[in-house]
Amino acid sequence: MNLFTHFKAVLLTILDDLVTKGQLPENIDFTPIVVEPPRDRSHGDITTNAAMVLAKPARRNPREIAAIIAARLEADNDIGSVEIAGPGFINMRLQSGFWMKVLYSVMQKGEDFGKSSIGQGQKVNVEYVSANPTGPLHVGHCRGAVVGDALANLLADAGFDVVREYYINDAGAQIDVLARSAFLRYRQAMGEDIGTIGEGLYPGSYLIPVGKALADEYGARLKEMPEDEWLPLVREKSMAMMMDMIRDDLAALNIHHEVFFSEKSLHEGGGIEESVAALEEMGLVYEGRLPPPKGQLPDDWEDREQTLFRSTDFGDDVDRALKKSDGSYTYFAADVAYTKDKIDRGFDQLIYILGADHGGYVKRLKALAKAFSGGDAELTVLLCQLVNLMRGGKPVKMSKRAGDFVTLRDVVDEVGPDVVRFMMLYRKSEAPLDFDFDKVTEQSRDNPVFYVQYAHARISSVFKKAAIELKSPENYKNVSIDDLAVLTDSAEMKLIQKMAEYPRIIESAAQAHEPHRVAFYLYELAADFHSLWNKGKETPNLRFIINDSVDITYARLALLHSIRYILASGLRILGVRPVEEM
RNA sequence: GGCCUCGUAGCUCAGCUGGAUAGAGCAACGGACUUCUAAUCCGUAGGUCGCAGGUUCGAAUCCUGCCGAGGUCGCCA
């Protein structure tokens, strides 16, 4: 239950009634009305701008309207007091009994407490990673991988029907380069001295096992074939092995896609012709010339007529080429087919997680979604900015020597998947991110991963102690709403109120496509918990286990258990494991 | 030159889709360990929200123009 939507419903009922009673004019637009937590908690538990929004259409003073609404709100059993403040804010304080109902609801629903149905089962496709299958994932892929995965989890919790998808670029010239590079490794495996690896081939040692596998499978036969015979065989084998490696890399970060979509299947299955024909039917394809780019002109620029898609009809800067000078389809043409395929599969929302270097690609993708869905499908792109690898405050030097890059696996192996995931999510994705190997493994408040994990571990330690000291340590699970009334300390109330915000965080983060909000929320929840913990040091009767009062002990264990549920739920969305001890 | 992203405390960043006196952490300073782990907590101090206009009851948030940082710019993928 999102308490803000709950009280918004209460408010709207009142407003409707005021309209029928003639105290407000008819046909007023209520959509700008929000019910939310006040910026400053001292103003109350919830606040609404209703009076200020209604003032103009009702042609009355906002504070006057506020007074009318406030009088009605006060009649609600869950609302303790109502105040009108500033230009016309209506601030409400809730009865403490209401907070206990919320806490009880967390106890009952457990990790489902934050789940929402605002997604209404809308079909969402989240495409992320989609790295070329020509080598292991490198550190640059980390962020998009984690952001995409967490966003998918978040959307699923918010009631969307989510498909996680990986687009395999298995059709371009880079795949032939991969195959030739693997062929070299094959010759090496057959005992040949291959010398230094030539310019334009992949020198990485990860291809050595591919060469061996080829040698095992084909023996000397490949060497005796002309290139046009061995190339397809080597291509298939090396690509399959690269994809296996990529899947392993992703699994190390606990990432699993449901769909791996092959670009090649669009070329071979006629998807491209079909989709281009569909655009033609809509009158969106023509033969024409593009103006040369404004910046530095490419060396090999030649002015020529080509097949173009009218993406400018949908807000793009220039029309986009569908065919290369040799007559074959462009990469973009495959995207035409791919977008159409997604729309045809019935997705209401297409989300792409791309690196910042793909910024120039966004408008043409949006143009495609508009063209194929008639504007019904929403296409959004999250551009993840660069991750700067640091060590001890200094940038990690990455050698320009080809093949010598930091892999995703290097990073995960060094600091663990939980740290990688949390840190990649502890920043909004449009902002660049420093990832310092030393800082992220530091155990201090400066390290949010540790800080949140530590809260979870501390809660676990209380339950361990309770299991030893209490006769019936599980009895806290049977507390009633009334039993919870012994929780009256301000730090306890603050925690309950913080927990009550969780469903709203999930909903707003999902709608804004901002998983980092969950990470920040968890940090705040952990801070409130650590604060209560330390309060118990100074004030022993605020500790969780109180020897001479089982009632208080059970109520507090119920509180702790609820916090643990929410920490676990939020961490699950982020893909970080909660820990029992540090 | 066009387009995209960013600019908030000394540093690293939040700011909940336009709300009230702009918030955290680090660094600085002052406090709290016979304890359910002090790996934490409490307090003090720190601001022209890049600059200038505009929109309105109200702007860090929306619009326009500058300044600065990064990215990107037919047929590569």
Side-chain angles (χ1 to χ4, degrees):
Chain A
M1 173 190 58
N2 179 333
L3 82 149
F4 300 98
T5 49
H6 169 73
F7 284 106
K8 183 168 181 185
V10 170
L11 175 67
L12 289 178
T13 309
I14 292 172
L15 294 180
D16 283 339
D17 191 50
L18 290 175
V19 170
T20 44
K21 292 218 166 80
Q23 291 183 281
L24 284 174
E26 286 180 34
N27 302 322
I28 288 193
D29 181 15
F30 289 156
T31 50
I33 294 177
V34 293
V35 176
E36 58 187 356
R39 289 276 158 117
D40 185 341
R41 282 319 282 249
S42 68
H43 289 131
D45 298 320
I46 53 179
T47 186
T48 178
N49 61 350
M52 291 178 287
V53 168
L54 298 174
K56 206 171 196 181
R59 271 178 283 180
R60 295 178 73 172
N61 181 312
R63 291 191 65 110
E64 205 178 297
I65 296 176
I68 296 169
I69 299 171
R72 301 288 296 267
L73 284 169
E74 268 171 348
D76 190 284
N77 284 334
D78 291 325
I79 297 174
S81 62
V82 184
E83 273 172 26
I84 299 162
F89 289 101
I90 302 172
N91 297 329
M92 290 160 264
R93 274 171 217 285
L94 303 180
Q95 297 281 6
S96 67
F98 179 81
W99 295 116
M100 298 313 150
K101 277 198 263 182
V102 172
L103 178 57
Y104 188 75
S105 154
V106 182
M107 279 292 286
Q108 297 305 306
K109 293 188 181 162
E111 288 191 34
D112 287 345
F113 175 70
K115 294 214 171 132
S116 162
S117 56
I118 46 159
Q120 298 176 310
Q122 250 195 45
K123 288 188 72 176
V124 183
N125 182 290
V126 185
E127 185 201 320
Y128 55 110
V129 189
S130 299
N132 286 346
T134 54
L137 296 177
H138 56 83
V139 65
H141 295 116
C142 265
R143 190 172 189 182
V146 170
V147 168
D149 197 58
L151 178 60
N153 293 341
L154 177 61
L155 289 168
D157 267 25
F160 291 88
D161 180 9
V162 181
V163 170
R164 296 140 212 266
E165 189 150 323
Y166 185 120
Y167 183 54
I168 310 173
N169 298 133
D170 51 3
Q174 82 282 2
I175 297 300
D176 288 342
V177 175
L178 171 73
R180 292 201 178 88
S181 310
F183 189 73
L184 203 62
R185 294 299 188 177
Y186 156 74
R187 283 168 41 204
Q188 185 180 35
M190 293 301 291
E192 258 181 69
D193 179 7
I194 57 169
T196 50
I197 290 165
E199 195 77 8
L201 291 180
Y202 301 133
S205 57
Y206 54 85
L207 286 174
I208 293 173
V210 180
K212 285 209 182 86
L214 287 166
D216 290 346
E217 190 171 339
Y218 292 99
R221 279 180 290 146
L222 288 177
K223 285 204 289 184
E224 283 140 26
M225 295 178 190
E227 177 172 302
D228 60 344
E229 271 180 48
W230 62 252
L231 195 65
L233 299 174
V234 175
R235 209 157 42 192
E236 287 314 304
K237 182 70 184 175
S238 41
M239 215 159 52
M241 287 184 73
M242 290 303 103
M243 280 313 295
D244 282 346
M245 191 165 63
I246 287 172
R247 269 186 271 254
D248 279 354
D249 286 350
L250 290 172
L253 263 179
N254 197 18
I255 291 171
H256 304 276
H257 292 82
E258 280 123 27
V259 175
F260 285 85
F261 195 101
S262 156
E263 179 193 353
K264 202 168 65 174
S265 72
L266 293 168
H267 287 85
E268 293 174 351
I272 296 185
E273 285 86 349
E274 204 180 295
S275 60
V276 171
L279 288 181
E280 266 171 347
E281 240 167 77
M282 292 185 267
L284 297 172
V285 178
Y286 70 104
E287 300 292 321
R289 286 169 196 280
L290 284 179
K294 285 273 165 64
Q296 68 206 75
L297 212 58
D299 300 338
D300 56 348
W301 171 263
E302 76 178 286
D303 189 28
R304 67 174 188 89
E305 188 154 282
Q306 49 190 342
T307 310
L308 298 167
F309 163 56
R310 288 187 197 280
S311 54
T312 47
D313 282 11
F314 305 94
D316 200 357
D317 306 316
V318 290
D319 291 335
R320 302 294 170 179
L322 294 166
K323 284 184 180 172
K324 302 184 205 171
S325 50
D326 65 3
S328 64
Y329 286 109
T330 59
Y331 180 79
F332 178 67
D335 257 331
V336 172
Y338 186 35
T339 309
K340 181 171 186 296
D341 188 274
K342 282 180 175 172
I343 301 278
D344 290 347
R345 276 187 275 158
F347 290 107
D348 303 298
Q349 262 195 72
L350 308 181
I351 300 177
Y352 293 74
I353 316 295
L354 301 175
D357 54 340
H358 287 72
Y361 218 74
V362 176
K363 285 186 181 177
R364 72 194 78 169
L365 286 177
K366 289 195 176 202
L368 285 178
K370 276 184 202 151
F372 283 123
S373 75
D376 292 340
E378 185 189 337
L379 187 149
T380 49
V381 178
L382 257 62
L383 286 181
C384 291
Q385 293 293 322
L386 218 65
V387 175
N388 303 309
L389 281 187
M390 320 271 281
R391 207 178 277 279
K394 288 178 183 167
V396 173
K397 291 250 159 95
M398 277 191 258
S399 161
K400 287 278 165 64
R401 214 174 61 232
D404 182 28
F405 48 77
V406 179
T407 65
L408 177 143
R409 197 50 92 86
D410 291 336
V411 179
V412 175
D413 286 349
E414 182 167 340
V415 302
D418 293 328
V419 167
V420 174
R421 292 196 59 127
F422 200 105
M423 291 312 295
M424 295 290 165
L425 291 165
Y426 200 63
R427 184 119 321 166
K428 61 181 174 210
S429 49
E430 313 88 72
L433 164 68
D434 290 343
F435 186 93
D436 192 316
F437 282 100
D438 296 325
K439 270 202 173 156
V440 299
T441 47
E442 195 174 278
Q443 301 197 328
S444 74
R445 181 163 191 171
D446 199 19
N447 179 354
V449 198
F450 161 77
Y451 189 73
V452 173
Q453 295 273 39
Y454 186 39
H456 192 272
R458 272 184 156 173
I459 291 172
S460 298
S461 83
V462 176
F463 280 98
K464 275 179 211 152
K465 188 175 171 178
I468 295 164
E469 297 198 356
L470 300 181
K471 281 183 194 137
S472 315
E474 297 290 308
N475 269 13
Y476 69 88
K477 288 180 181 162
N478 304 324
V479 295
S480 67
I481 293 181
D482 291 341
D483 294 335
L484 295 170
V486 295
L487 302 172
T488 54
D489 185 77
S490 62
E492 291 171 331
M493 293 306 294
K494 199 174 170 192
L495 268 166
I496 296 169
Q497 288 162 2
K498 196 77 194 173
M499 285 192 271
E501 283 177 28
Y502 184 62
R504 184 171 179 273
I505 296 288
I506 297 301
E507 289 180 359
S508 62
Q511 280 175 322
H513 302 146
E514 291 186 348
H516 76 275
R517 290 192 201 176
V518 177
F520 279 93
Y521 169 81
L522 291 179
Y523 184 84
E524 289 166 16
L525 182 63
D528 287 343
F529 164 75
H530 286 306
S531 182
L532 174 63
W533 176 287
N534 278 274
K535 212 168 170 183
K537 285 177 196 300
E538 287 156 25
T539 317
N541 62 17
L542 279 178
R543 289 179 193 169
F544 302 112
I545 298 171
I546 304 294
N547 288 322
D548 53 2
S549 173
V550 286
D551 292 347
I552 291 179
T553 300
Y554 287 142
R556 290 198 177 141
L557 288 179
L559 173 68
L560 285 188
H561 193 60
S562 302
I563 298 168
R564 182 161 64 174
Y565 271 143
I566 291 181
L567 287 174
S569 161
L571 287 173
R572 180 181 45 72
I573 289 171
L574 304 184
V576 177
R577 291 166 298 197
V579 298
E580 301 295 314
E581 53 189 34
M582 306 293 289

